[in-house]
Amino acid sequence: MSIQVQNVSKRFGSFQALSDISIDIESGELIALLGPSGSGKTTLLRILAGLEGLDEGAILFDGENITGVSPKERKIGFVFQHYALFRHMTVFDNVAYGLKVRPRKERPSKAEIAKKVNELLSLVKLDNLADRYPSQLSGGQRQRVALARALAVEPKVLLLDEPFGALDAKVRKELRRWLRKLHNEFHVTSIFVTHDQEEALDVANRIIVMNNGKIEQIGTPDEVYENPKSPFVYDFLGNVNLFRGRLHNGKLTQGQFEIDVPTYLDSHEEAVGYVRPHDIHIEKVQTSNDTVAATIVHIHLLGPVVQIELKRDDIDEYLEAEVTKEHFNQLGIKKGDIVYIRPKQLKVFIPEDFSI
Amino acid sequence: MELTLKKRNKKTIIPGFSLTLGYTMLYLSIIVILPLSMIFFNTFSMSWSEFYETISHPRAVASYKLTLGTSLGAGLINVVFGTIIAWVLIRYEFPGKKIVDGLVDLPFALPTAVAGIALATLYSPNGWVGQFFDFKIAYSPLGIIIALTFIGLPFVVRTVQPVLQNLSSEVEEASASLGANRIQTFTKVIFPELLPAMITGFSLAFARSLGEYGSIVFIAGNIPMKTEITPLIIMTKLEQYDYVGATAIATVMLIGSFLFLFIINIIQWVTNRKFNQH
């Protein structure tokens, strides 16, 4: 089912939770709503589910305006961060709930319900735990029950509110992969809320980055990571180093240090260059004058990527660089060494354009 | 080695176990067990036939039925309306909420005799409320139920309130998103969660009602065989210096109360089981 969000605004008292949000979601997409806490992503999800009203705007499912429709008639599946399982019901009864509460005419027979529930339980690999109560399950198992329960009503849209937020790292990764697989099999339009950029980049087809109740950027994981449209997106998706300076004649000047930025020709007194850690070039001996000296403060040697923390010698600022282990071994650097760094790739934002 | 390890494992990290347990046992012995055992002790000075005659006297039997029946009735009324009050106090915001919340505790604080006199005045055949009814309210079992409802109200409200407070709105939202209507959400999701607390509240109110004396004697009229409650029979016997007879009736009440609380506890254990399995 396709979803259109049209100019939606929502206030909670004096707090503007969402301001003028418009999104088009095509049928079968797997969308991540990514943002820090308070960015309005959960509010938007709850408005889509009908659990929260909206002040302005409209929600369309398949072109049909459902703004005033109650959650029970929206044909959605909602998965809560803290599972919201019914404590007094067994796993089986939890999953069967959505089918059992249907009006008599639409309700499947007992045997059909049992068949369907068992199918879903084997899908989430919990068939042997059907008679347990939620309190007897682990967090990951509970969340799988919650997913099975949401899927039992054959929703046209699956909405997940930080579904893996309360789980430990390993289970989270496993469920992430599992959610993507599930989506590939069922093609149900799914939207999940997360504040974990890795999760969003890993699972979603498309990411909607939100901040302060507004949309910062919509795009594929590749687009938002490689081509952030705003300093916020740059900052939120992955680590970043800042070079604050003056922009003039295609050069970003920071004290004695100059970086060539040929694509930015206009002049600004204040400009910030954003550089990803893996875009910082390190050399042991100064070969050109577009590098700046820095001292190595700390080295994280873990896995194939080596993270190096550096302190600029000219100004009191810290930098983070990432190099491959191979390159690191070639460099032969150690803690306390003075090295010369140069940003290989840098994106300049003018703070005035993005008043944060 | 293994033995010493085992011994060490038995020790809990929390200090003062033996001290606090000893204190608890001593305290309970002095405050609860000693007085209660005096009842049995006194009763034992009777022969079996005397004992049986005293406790099976028609007046006594009628009083058992009355006490039990009115306590059950009042308990049930309180479960329904106490839960509604708790619901309103937790779920809605309205001016004067704090005052209403405070009013609930009033029956706890009020001397029961004051409550009894007030209720008797209201509900007597020519009282403010009683005059509008063709049938007697005060001086009938109905009056006793009203008095017991009054004194038992806080128990249900105060036990259901925290449970309702902790019930996350998420489960209700989950129920709604799965297509349940409000009635289904209440009966299938909220009510089962509240049931254990309602039973606790009921058993507390019920136990309190069984032993209530002060508020009832004023409104009941104390007509033998009709509106005479068991505690009053005990009181009457004491006034006639029939201490042994009084303790005999008290024994029946004690054992009866114990059995009822025991049964309620079993019911509670069954309803609670699914929440506490780990």
Side-chain angles (χ1 to χ4, degrees):
Chain A
M1 180 157 65
S2 70
I3 301 171
Q4 271 99 45
V5 178
Q6 295 177 340
N7 309 92
V8 167
S9 295
K10 171 81 183 173
R11 295 181 78 85
F12 292 111
S14 63
F15 177 67
Q16 187 81 37
L18 294 173
S19 40
D20 201 22
I21 298 275
S22 295
I23 309 168
D24 275 341
I25 295 167
E26 278 166 40
S27 187
E29 278 196 288
L30 178 53
I31 301 272
L33 280 173
L34 177 67
S37 45
S39 60
K41 54 192 193 310
T42 296
T43 307
L44 180 58
L45 196 79
R46 289 173 60 83
I47 285 176
L48 285 173
L51 298 173
E52 206 82 66
L54 43 75
D55 298 341
E56 281 166 57
I59 307 280
L60 277 66
F61 281 4
D62 270 341
E64 193 186 332
N65 191 339
I66 53 118
T67 312
V69 174
S70 74
K72 89 182 192 68
E73 277 141 27
R74 287 197 185 189
K75 302 230 183 303
I76 48 139
F78 200 98
V79 176
F80 294 85
Q81 180 179 6
H82 298 291
Y83 330 121
L85 294 178
F86 307 129
R87 297 193 299 154
H88 59 282
M89 293 184 201
T90 61
V91 167
F92 183 94
D93 289 334
N94 262 287
V95 178
Y97 184 83
L99 300 171
K100 282 187 183 163
V101 295
R102 285 195 185 162
R104 203 168 289 273
K105 279 176 284 172
E106 301 162 33
R107 195 187 306 161
S109 73
K110 266 211 165 116
E112 281 170 330
I113 291 180
K115 184 168 169 277
K116 173 109 201 180
V117 171
N118 287 325
E119 256 175 47
L120 282 163
L121 285 179
S122 67
L123 181 77
V124 297
K125 300 197 180 69
L126 290 173
D127 10 15
N128 52 344
L129 300 179
D131 298 328
R132 297 278 186 92
Y133 285 97
S135 62
Q136 296 168 298
L137 303 179
S138 71
Q141 290 170 333
R142 286 182 207 184
Q143 195 56 295
R144 296 212 300 265
V145 175
L147 265 162
R149 182 178 70 177
L151 289 172
V153 293
E154 288 174 9
K156 291 180 175 162
V157 185
L158 190 58
L159 303 169
L160 307 107
D161 183 12
E162 305 224 12
F164 316 129
L167 304 170
D168 61 72
K170 195 161 181 276
V171 179
R172 198 187 305 189
K173 207 152 194 174
E174 201 180 290
L175 275 182
R176 233 150 70 178
R177 199 168 308 142
W178 184 81
L179 174 68
R180 206 174 37 206
K181 205 176 120 230
L182 187 87
H183 181 261
N184 289 342
E185 279 171 36
F186 289 87
H187 288 291
V188 53
T189 311
S190 307
I191 304 172
F192 72 99
V193 159
T194 180
H195 60 256
D196 182 347
Q197 37 110 354
E198 200 191 317
E199 194 168 288
L201 293 168
D202 189 18
V203 180
N205 302 143
R206 240 171 12 131
I207 297 178
I208 299 169
V209 186
M210 293 186 69
N211 186 33
N212 285 333
K214 293 191 192 75
I215 292 175
E216 291 276 339
Q217 189 170 1
I218 303 180
T220 64
D222 200 41
E223 274 168 23
V224 274
Y225 187 77
E226 293 299 334
N227 223 340
K229 274 192 186 152
S230 69
F232 174 81
V233 179
Y234 221 117
D235 207 19
F236 198 71
L237 285 166
N239 295 326
V240 73
N241 295 302
L242 305 186
F243 287 87
R244 292 171 200 280
R246 205 151 46 87
L247 193 64
H248 187 63
N249 281 341
K251 276 185 199 298
L252 183 68
T253 319
Q254 188 181 33
Q256 297 296 314
F257 178 48
E258 274 187 356
I259 312 164
D260 276 331
V261 280
T263 42
Y264 303 92
L265 287 172
D266 37 346
S267 298
H268 288 279
E269 274 306 304
E270 261 186 84
V272 186
Y274 284 74
V275 186
R276 295 262 187 235
H278 54 79
D279 282 332
I280 287 192
H281 177 78
I282 299 180
E283 53 192 28
K284 219 175 168 186
V285 188
Q286 194 168 22
T287 51
S288 60
N289 53 2
D290 61 349
T291 57
V292 68
T295 312
I296 297 177
V297 183
H298 190 76
I299 298 174
H300 299 273
L301 257 170
L302 202 77
V305 177
V306 181
Q307 288 176 341
I308 302 165
E309 264 175 50
L310 302 143
K311 187 172 176 289
R312 292 263 297 266
D313 284 358
D314 53 342
I315 50 171
D316 195 29
E317 261 179 36
Y318 287 88
L319 294 174
E320 209 182 307
E322 276 175 18
V323 295
T324 60
K325 199 147 200 169
E326 209 184 346
H327 186 62
F328 176 76
N329 290 336
Q330 277 170 13
L331 281 168
I333 47 178
K334 59 181 193 299
K335 193 174 161 183
D337 282 0
I338 293 176
V339 291
Y340 299 91
I341 58 134
R342 170 170 56 86
K344 285 185 279 191
Q345 198 189 355
L346 163 146
K347 192 163 170 96
V348 178
F349 290 105
I350 315 301
E352 296 160 27
D353 301 349
F354 298 96
S355 48
I356 306 171
Chain B
M1 181 64 200
E2 216 165 81
L3 206 76
T4 50
L5 262 181
K6 251 186 196 165
K7 261 190 181 168
R8 193 174 297 166
N9 281 347
K10 262 190 186 165
K11 262 197 169 176
T12 69
I13 297 169
I14 307 162
F17 171 71
S18 46
L19 187 69
T20 48
L21 182 72
Y23 173 76
T24 307
M25 295 317 289
L26 180 71
Y27 187 83
L28 282 180
S29 303
I30 295 173
I31 300 290
V32 181
I33 298 174
L34 190 64
L36 290 188
S37 56
M38 280 316 288
I39 295 175
F40 289 102
F41 188 73
N42 256 340
T43 315
F44 282 142
S45 59
M46 283 175 124
S47 70
W48 269 109
S49 57
E50 276 175 323
F51 176 70
Y52 184 75
E53 205 178 309
T54 316
I55 63 166
S56 62
H57 190 276
R59 235 174 109 176
V61 173
S63 83
Y64 303 150
K65 286 181 186 161
L66 180 73
T67 306
L68 208 63
T70 49
S71 297
L72 271 173
L76 290 174
I77 292 172
N78 270 330
V79 163
V80 176
F81 291 96
T83 307
I84 293 175
I85 291 174
W87 178 271
V88 169
L89 287 176
I90 295 293
R91 286 305 170 100
Y92 310 110
E93 287 302 323
F94 53 91
K97 183 171 156 173
K98 285 260 158 64
I99 297 171
V100 176
D101 198 61
L103 276 178
V104 169
D105 282 331
L106 213 57
F108 271 154
L110 211 62
T112 47
V114 177
I117 292 166
L119 289 171
T121 324
L122 268 183
Y123 289 101
S124 67
N126 46 13
W128 280 7
V129 179
Q131 59 180 314
F132 299 110
F133 291 91
D134 296 336
F135 50 88
K136 271 205 311 197
I137 296 178
Y139 319 128
S140 77
L142 197 60
I144 302 178
I145 291 180
I146 289 175
L148 293 180
T149 310
F150 176 82
I151 56 139
L153 173 75
F155 291 102
V156 178
V157 179
R158 292 298 179 230
T159 48
V160 173
Q161 231 175 350
V163 178
L164 252 181
Q165 182 96 60
N166 289 333
L167 191 66
S168 82
S169 54
E170 278 192 353
V171 288
E172 284 165 58
E173 290 173 349
S175 171
S177 76
L178 290 165
N181 60 35
R182 280 158 194 253
I183 295 168
Q184 286 168 324
T185 301
F186 184 80
T187 56
K188 286 173 191 275
V189 175
I190 301 172
F191 182 71
E193 294 264 356
L194 295 186
L195 191 61
M198 288 163 74
I199 296 173
T200 307
F202 172 79
S203 66
L204 287 172
F206 177 70
R208 174 83 168 83
S209 299
L210 283 179
E212 176 58 18
Y213 172 77
S215 62
I216 301 175
V217 286
F218 293 100
I219 198 168
N222 310 328
I223 310 154
M225 304 297 292
K226 279 192 184 138
T227 60
E228 193 177 37
I229 53 166
T230 314
L232 184 72
I233 291 200
I234 298 173
M235 199 62 197
T236 321
K237 284 200 187 298
L238 286 178
E239 277 166 358
Q240 294 160 352
Y241 302 105
D242 181 8
Y243 293 130
V244 183
T247 51
I249 303 277
T251 310
V252 174
M253 272 206 85
L254 191 65
I255 294 172
S257 311
F258 180 77
L259 281 178
F260 270 99
L261 288 179
F262 189 68
I263 292 166
I264 291 169
N265 267 309
I266 288 175
I267 297 172
Q268 210 167 7
W269 179 73
V270 171
T271 52
N272 248 331
R273 209 169 32 166
K274 48 186 83 161
F275 295 111
N276 298 327
Q277 280 176 344
H278 284 288

